[in-house]
Amino acid sequence: MLGIDIGGTGSRAAVEPLDGAFGEGRVLIDGPPVSVSGDGSSALSVARELIERARGAAAGHAAGAGTGSGAGAGDAPGATAPRIAAVAIGATGLASLVANPVTSIAALSDAAGGAPVALAIDALTAHLGALGGAPGAVVAVGTGAIALGTDLREIWRRVGGWGHLYDDRGSAAWIGIEGLKAAIMAHDGLDRGASALLSAAESRFGPAPTWPGQLYTRDDRGAVLAGFAADVSGLAELGDAVSVRIMSTAGTLVAETLVAALDPALPRRAAGVGGVFASGKAFTEAFRAAFARLAPDASLVTPAGAPLDGSVRLARLVAIGGVREGHPPFLWR
């Protein structure tokens, strides 16, 4: 079976045998990030590329290649690729930036040798990865930020994930934007306290007057902004006051998003996943404090797995007939 996770700063696929224990014999394949242009999102093109690469990597899996990069995994002499039983794809922007996801399922199935395909928003695969199929709410925070509260049957409550232009509060792109806003204020002499951020931004992007030309014209603008979040979080870890404020605010905003996804009909169980949770204590401490204040009766649990794990879980369900119908705009079959 094949699980795929597609995000704003990169994508990954996992191939593993249907008849083994979860995660056993997994082959990992890295892929490109999503880009967004006037034609919409490239998510489904990325998915097709990863499916084609995964079919080659499956031969190496059958020959006992084990885990590792997919590069060259299908080169084992005499290896025969097993049939892919099911494919599940979790992708950012699927509900908002892809006109009609269901129309692409047939082509993706053909690329997978006729295997059944499920498409899901990234919040759903993050939920399946973090809570393992149990009801509750999960927030996924990477380039963007989106939360989903669901029991995977009747209750589907989405909060956030509307893009970095006016949402994705607390995400890596949001952090990058806030860092650049502070940096340009330092450049213009409006905030001398942000001089460290100005220096970091100039090191990454060059002179401030060139920033609009570099950023406004890019299809991968969200990913570029998210890249600067690493500089902001690094400065926060060093004690830079403006950076600490940005990271702390990000943590609070993410907690607000997660709490808003806790539908009253759901168990008071929640989790957070995504790369921003590894960005340092300013973010995580603010996140936990805000969650405890806003939802004192809820439990914040340690995630059982990552969004890619959720995609693999969904692929397994599809393979055994556990997902026969879609649930747009969260899941398409």
Side-chain angles (χ1 to χ4, degrees), residues 28-94:
L28 298 176
I29 305 164
D30 292 324
V34 164
S35 62
V36 180
S37 67
D39 296 326
S41 168
S42 66
L44 297 180
S45 295
V46 172
R48 186 181 182 96
E49 176 183 336
L50 283 169
I51 288 171
E52 291 170 350
R53 292 179 59 194
R55 293 188 73 185
H61 182 282
T67 57
S69 169
D75 294 336
T80 301
R83 180 180 64 86
I84 294 178
V87 181
I89 300 160
T92 182
L94 197 59

Side-chain angles (χ1 to χ4, degrees), residues 93-333:
L94 197 59
S96 305
L97 297 171
V98 176
N100 188 1
V102 74
T103 61
S104 299
I105 288 178
L108 293 171
S109 177
D110 287 345
V117 173
L119 296 174
I121 64 171
D122 54 344
L124 176 54
T125 48
H127 195 287
L128 285 168
L131 297 185
V138 171
V139 65
V141 193
T143 302
I146 184 171
L148 179 65
T150 182
D151 60 1
L152 303 172
R153 295 185 299 276
E154 303 295 331
I155 301 167
W156 300 82
R157 184 178 180 89
R158 168 186 173 173
V159 181
W162 304 111
H164 63 270
L165 289 180
Y166 56 92
D167 186 47
D168 285 345
R169 304 184 324 145
S171 69
W174 183 93
I175 292 166
I177 289 170
E178 293 300 306
L180 284 174
K181 285 164 64 176
I184 205 66
M185 288 181 70
H187 175 270
D188 289 350
L190 298 170
D191 184 358
R192 298 296 184 186
S195 59
L197 281 167
L198 174 60
S199 178
E202 289 177 333
S203 294
R204 183 175 285 267
F205 300 115
T210 70
W211 298 350
Q214 290 188 59
L215 294 172
Y216 293 156
T217 58
R218 295 186 66 130
D219 292 345
D220 61 346
R221 182 171 59 245
V224 175
L225 292 167
F228 187 53
D231 298 319
V232 180
S233 64
L235 287 170
E237 288 292 280
L238 294 174
D240 178 67
V242 177
S243 300
V244 168
R245 173 180 56 78
I246 291 171
M247 297 304 300
S248 296
T249 302
T252 299
L253 294 174
V254 169
E256 292 174 356
T257 297
L258 178 58
V259 170
L262 272 172
D263 189 278
L266 289 172
R268 305 293 283 176
R269 180 193 300 114
V273 296
V276 176
F277 281 96
S279 61
K281 66 179 182 179
F283 177 90
T284 56
E285 289 179 356
F287 169 77
R288 292 184 176 278
F291 185 87
R293 183 182 74 253
L294 296 168
D297 61 335
S299 298
L300 193 61
V301 302
T302 301
L308 182 60
D309 296 309
S311 294
V312 174
R313 289 187 186 278
L314 181 57
R316 183 181 291 269
L317 287 171
V318 171
I320 64 176
V323 181
R324 291 186 173 87
E325 297 180 354
H327 195 105
F330 305 99
L331 175 66
W332 295 263
R333 280 283 285 115

